[in-house]
Amino acid sequence: ALQEAEPNLRSGLAGGLRVPNDSVIYPPCAAKFFVERAVSHGATLILGKKVKEIEKDGLRLDDATFISAGLVVNAAGSWSPLLTSGIDVKKRKGHLLITDRYATFVKHQLVELGYLKSAHSVTDDSVAFNIQPRRTGQMLIGSSRQYGVESAQIDTPILKRMLNRAIEYMPALATLSSIRTWTGFRAATPDKLPLIGPGILNPRLYLATGHEGLGITTSLGTAKLLIDQIVSRRSAIPVEPYLPARVTELSHA
């Protein structure tokens, strides 16, 4: 059945788990959708300027403009420590590659069963097989994880490891052409859980960062947990595992 579902997987695999309701979204389009909805509800969108500093009663942009705010949410991902000193969020570099158009090569998003083990390694560089077909006929191939790397340049050895891993599962990938490779940084915490809730020193500052590779996936849930805390409302799930104060406790343990 696995061979029928995905003929280009190598023969001899024990099987697979199909998740019928799983889906993939394109993050730039999702971000655009959320921004447009926010603006339609009265939000102001500022483009072309960076937040230089979060202050007690607002924030300051890099052109010295001050924006007053009753509350500020730091959701700057792997750059969040630049705006909130002392939070233990580190960059975790990853590579992605996109192929030319091969419309029928892959029919499902495919992820190796060992992906979670690879994703949760906190000491060594790691790779895992992950491929996503796009509506364009292209395929997005991942994934890699590296700690302690600040450069956004392509790391050829880790890219080769990542592609060789993909070829182990789908040998015919070696005959296809790629059109682009790029890198990005995930925001990682020591215990692999995000920071969702009030900051330690500034009662007007809230954090929504440290989601590693699940920022888009858990964005709506994060927003609900954050709002519940701001308005002192009970959440559908416990918020304690995600409170930023726990990281301070871990660092002093």
Side-chain angles (χ1 to χ4, degrees):
L2 180 61
Q3 204 67 40
E4 290 176 4
E6 292 290 348
N8 284 306
L9 282 171
R10 77 167 190 263
S11 60
L13 292 173
L17 173 67
R18 184 170 183 267
V19 185
N21 295 324
D22 194 23
S23 59
V24 175
I25 62 171
Y26 186 47
C29 291
K32 181 174 182 290
F33 172 78
F34 289 137
V35 166
E36 289 174 347
R37 287 200 64 179
V39 170
S40 73
H41 285 80
T44 300
L45 176 65
I46 299 174
L47 298 174
K49 299 178 183 179
K50 293 182 180 180
V51 177
K52 183 179 180 181
E53 184 180 5
I54 296 175
E55 301 182 6
K56 287 187 176 181
D57 52 354
L59 53 86
R60 194 167 301 278
L61 304 181
D62 58 359
D63 65 352
T65 300
F66 178 76
I67 299 177
S68 177
L71 294 174
V72 174
V73 178
N74 182 348
S78 56
W79 288 270
S80 54
L82 297 178
L83 298 174
T84 305
S85 61
I87 61 173
D88 198 354
V89 173
K90 292 183 171 59
K91 292 180 180 179
R92 201 169 187 192
K93 184 178 178 180
H95 289 69
L96 287 171
L97 176 146
I98 196 161
T99 71
D100 207 339
R101 299 170 190 264
Y102 302 97
T104 60
F105 192 89
V106 175
K107 302 175 184 177
H108 306 79
Q109 178 182 357
L110 301 175
V111 182
E112 69 167 279
L113 189 60
Y115 182 88
L116 287 179
K117 182 178 180 181
S118 168
H120 288 171
S121 171
V122 295
T123 54
D124 300 323
D125 294 348
S126 61
V127 299
F129 171 57
N130 185 340
I131 188 167
Q132 300 174 12
R134 291 279 176 83
R135 290 186 178 182
T136 58
Q138 297 169 285
M139 292 171 287
L140 186 70
I141 300 176
S143 67
S144 70
R145 280 172 165 80
Q146 294 174 281
Y147 268 125
V149 180
E150 293 290 330
S151 170
Q153 296 297 314
I154 301 298
D155 185 327
T156 301
I158 199 77
L159 178 63
K160 285 183 177 179
R161 277 182 58 189
M162 185 184 84
L163 293 178
N164 286 338
R165 186 68 174 172
I167 292 167
E168 284 183 36
Y169 282 85
M170 306 192 86
L173 281 173
T175 66
L176 308 185
S177 298
S178 65
I179 59 173
R180 188 163 74 95
T181 302
W182 68 99
T183 66
F185 294 98
R186 308 171 181 92
T189 63
D191 62 359
K192 312 178 190 70
L193 294 177
L195 307 179
I196 306 171
I200 309 301
L201 301 177
N202 183 352
R204 293 187 176 186
L205 172 66
Y206 283 75
L207 301 177
T209 184
H211 295 75
E212 235 267 32
L214 295 173
I216 295 294
T217 307
T218 60
S219 58
L220 300 182
T222 295
K224 288 183 178 181
L225 290 179
L226 206 57
I227 292 169
D228 289 342
Q229 293 179 67
I230 290 171
V231 302
S232 300
R233 181 173 62 202
R234 184 176 181 179
S235 295
I237 63 172
V239 299
E240 287 75 16
Y242 311 107
L243 293 178
R246 80 180 192 280
V247 176
T248 302
E249 294 168 0
L250 283 172
S251 63
H252 289 88

